[in-house]
Amino acid sequence: MENDKLIEEIMKYSHSFGKNVSVSFLRAEVERRLQEIYDQKNIFISTGGSRAGLLAAITAIKGGGSILAARNCTKEVFDALSLNRRKVRYLYPKELFPDSLIYGSVQPAEVEAALQAHKDIDAVVITSPTLEGVVSDVEAIAKIVHRAGAVLIVDESYGAHFPYHDDFPVSAIYLDADVVVQSPGKTLPIPDQTALVFVNTDMELTRKIKVALNSFTAADASAFLLAGLGYGINWAYDNEKAFTDFLADLKDFRNKFSRIEAVTLMEKEEGIFDLDPSHMVLFSDKMDGQDFALFLEEEQNVAAEAFGLDHMILGNTVLDGKDRLKKIYSALLASTLKFKYRQPKTLSEKQLEQIAILTIQPLDKEYRDFVYITPPGCPLIAPGELFTKQRKEKILEFINKGLNVEIWERYFS
């Protein structure tokens, strides 16, 4: 749906309650509709996006113990942990392909082992699905976490479409996770900056999350954002056929992909519990990830969501339509004749500065901050991990090959 059309539909939705409807009335109406559609009692609206939602959830966790976080969580999760000065223990999902930063599902057995080894863990935080569409077994993990008396927080930012069709993976909100944060603007016709926080736990934590969320978002929510959320969830609820058609188009695309030479599509590899079909990870043996993404953008005006050393990620939504997938397929089918990019890259001022920062870091010492590649925002190194020669060389390689590396010098420096 084009932006102008979406704005027009949102304004129609808002005006359906009267041209001078108050923000408080609009919020109450949207919250009522959310509870109806999702069949959940405690759903909070964040107009500060998933960042505010995750910050509120982690801030509300009681106890002075540690938090167990998967190392492939997004920057927003680690930002919240840093701001709260929480002691963090790490889960390390398996990297599926060498130097790809694409990780498999969080394994329930590893969660259980960590909880048994460290009795001070107050909460577990995982990202499911990841930007690459990798889904973890949330139901099994929730049972393990609850047996240990801890809280499970799931960053489901990229999975807001899951509840709207049975052929998508089951949403964590129905799998006994205590807190689930979604960013519906990523995959539904809803403006960015709006998130949903589902709380399925004791009333004390529910109250604390609500209070924290009010502290991290504007006192007066934007009427446009609230109306956009209301319109979008109603559209998704009323348009099951659109999701059915979308899934059929995705299946057709995947079935035909074997005809494309020199490009491979990530499927449900060993170590993946489930995979969201709408996110596609494409590997090329002819171009690096940046040139691969540039090729598709220049050939068909299709922007990649992210890229790595030798792959790119395409996020597809129910709004994109069949034409987008046809354009991608046509471009890739002819791509063996057009892999011509591999142009020399000059280092920017920012990249030179990053290299200088890494050069002065002492080796084999604990690193006291974060180094990221964004998106998806998974840390290359996190506080407490050793800054080894191997890690340094790998980060330098990512910088030199044009990946978007972010070096923090904030909380732990």
Side-chain angles (χ1 to χ4, degrees):
M1 188 179 295
E2 297 295 331
N3 282 340
D4 289 347
K5 178 66 174 173
L6 177 58
I7 292 172
E8 181 183 339
E9 293 298 328
I10 290 172
M11 296 311 295
K12 284 182 183 177
Y13 172 84
S14 179
H15 291 160
S16 69
F17 302 107
K19 287 201 172 182
N20 296 315
V21 61
S22 68
V23 171
S24 59
F25 176 88
L26 193 56
R27 178 185 281 276
E29 175 60 26
V30 173
E31 287 177 343
R32 180 193 66 78
R33 190 66 176 133
L34 285 167
Q35 291 172 355
E36 284 182 354
I37 289 177
Y38 291 99
D39 192 26
Q40 299 286 303
K41 182 180 179 182
N42 297 310
I43 309 175
F44 303 124
I45 299 169
S46 166
T47 51
S50 61
R51 177 179 293 277
L54 289 163
L55 181 56
I58 289 170
T59 300
I61 297 299
K62 61 183 179 181
S66 61
I67 291 182
L68 182 64
R71 274 289 271 102
N72 65 327
C73 283
T74 59
K75 182 177 180 180
E76 286 77 9
V77 168
F78 288 101
D79 203 354
L81 292 169
S82 296
L83 287 168
N84 279 280
R85 301 285 181 172
R86 294 302 299 245
K87 180 180 180 181
V88 186
R89 301 188 187 279
Y90 298 121
L91 281 167
Y92 291 88
K94 178 184 176 183
E95 191 173 15
L96 297 176
F97 313 99
D99 298 330
S100 66
L101 303 181
I102 299 173
Y103 298 94
S105 304
V106 174
Q107 299 301 316
E110 294 179 5
V111 175
E112 187 165 29
L115 287 166
Q116 289 177 349
H118 306 287
K119 302 298 185 181
D120 69 329
I121 293 172
D122 295 322
V124 177
V125 188
I126 66 172
T127 296
S128 176
T130 64
L131 180 62
E132 298 84 10
V134 175
V135 176
S136 294
D137 187 351
V138 173
E139 186 172 29
I141 293 170
K143 290 178 181 177
I144 292 166
V145 171
H146 293 157
R147 280 202 301 267
V151 172
L152 177 61
I153 300 172
V154 179
D155 178 1
E156 199 175 66
S157 296
Y158 289 97
H161 53 295
F162 284 3
Y164 292 99
H165 200 285
D166 290 342
D167 288 344
F168 288 125
V170 179
S171 170
I173 63 179
Y174 303 115
L175 297 174
D176 212 20
D178 296 285
V179 185
V180 180
V181 179
Q182 292 183 351
S183 294
K186 295 185 186 301
T187 57
L188 299 174
I190 292 171
D192 290 336
Q193 200 180 328
T194 307
L196 296 175
V197 182
F198 299 83
V199 188
N200 303 299
T201 188
D202 64 84
M203 290 308 297
E204 178 64 14
L205 182 57
T206 302
R207 184 189 66 79
K208 286 184 175 181
I209 289 175
K210 184 176 182 180
V211 170
L213 194 58
N214 288 338
S215 300
F216 300 137
T217 54
D220 296 320
S222 160
F224 178 78
L225 290 178
L226 290 171
L229 177 60
Y231 166 76
I233 60 169
N234 278 314
W235 182 94
Y237 184 76
D238 294 334
N239 282 275
E240 184 178 355
K241 185 177 184 305
F243 289 97
T244 300
D245 292 344
F246 174 52
L247 283 157
D249 293 339
L250 290 170
K251 184 177 181 180
D252 180 61
F253 180 93
R254 288 179 177 273
N255 288 340
K256 295 189 301 185
F257 202 86
S258 59
R259 303 175 195 172
I260 299 173
E261 297 179 18
V263 181
T264 55
L265 174 65
M266 187 180 87
E267 298 290 355
K268 190 175 175 182
E269 309 283 335
E270 182 180 352
I272 295 179
F273 173 74
D274 205 353
L275 195 63
D276 175 13
S278 67
H279 274 75
M280 298 177 181
V281 181
L282 307 177
F283 288 86
S284 167
D285 58 7
K286 298 270 185 133
M287 291 190 289
D288 67 30
Q290 185 177 28
D291 284 342
F292 196 9
L294 178 63
F295 162 78
L296 198 58
E297 185 170 0
E298 291 194 354
E299 292 294 324
Q300 292 292 350
N301 196 30
V302 173
E305 194 154 2
F307 59 84
L309 287 181
D310 61 355
H311 72 275
M312 66 174 173
I313 303 169
L314 295 174
N316 304 285
T317 76
V318 67
L319 305 173
D320 291 325
K322 184 180 292 188
D323 288 346
R324 172 183 160 89
L325 291 174
K326 285 182 176 179
K327 285 163 61 176
I328 295 170
Y329 183 75
S330 297
L332 294 176
L333 198 60
S335 61
T336 52
L337 303 176
K338 299 180 180 179
F339 278 179
K340 57 180 183 287
Y341 290 87
R342 283 208 179 277
Q343 299 172 13
K345 299 178 176 68
T346 56
L347 293 174
S348 67
E349 184 176 335
K350 175 185 175 182
Q351 289 169 318
L352 292 171
E353 181 180 333
Q354 290 172 328
I355 291 170
I357 291 171
L358 292 172
T359 301
I360 63 173
Q361 294 294 325
L363 294 177
D364 299 321
K365 301 288 186 182
E366 281 192 7
Y367 200 78
R368 303 304 298 161
D369 223 308
F370 291 96
V371 178
Y372 287 99
I373 287 182
T374 56
C378 303
L380 295 172
I381 189 168
E385 296 177 332
L386 289 181
F387 185 67
T388 62
K389 181 181 178 183
Q390 183 181 17
R391 271 202 168 107
K392 177 180 178 180
E393 289 176 349
K394 186 53 61 180
I395 296 170
L396 288 172
E397 180 184 357
F398 289 148
I399 292 172
N400 282 310
K401 290 197 173 180
L403 274 65
N404 188 23
V405 176
E406 297 288 343
I407 298 177
W408 280 16
E409 292 184 284
R410 294 201 273 180
Y411 304 112
F412 294 95
S413 298

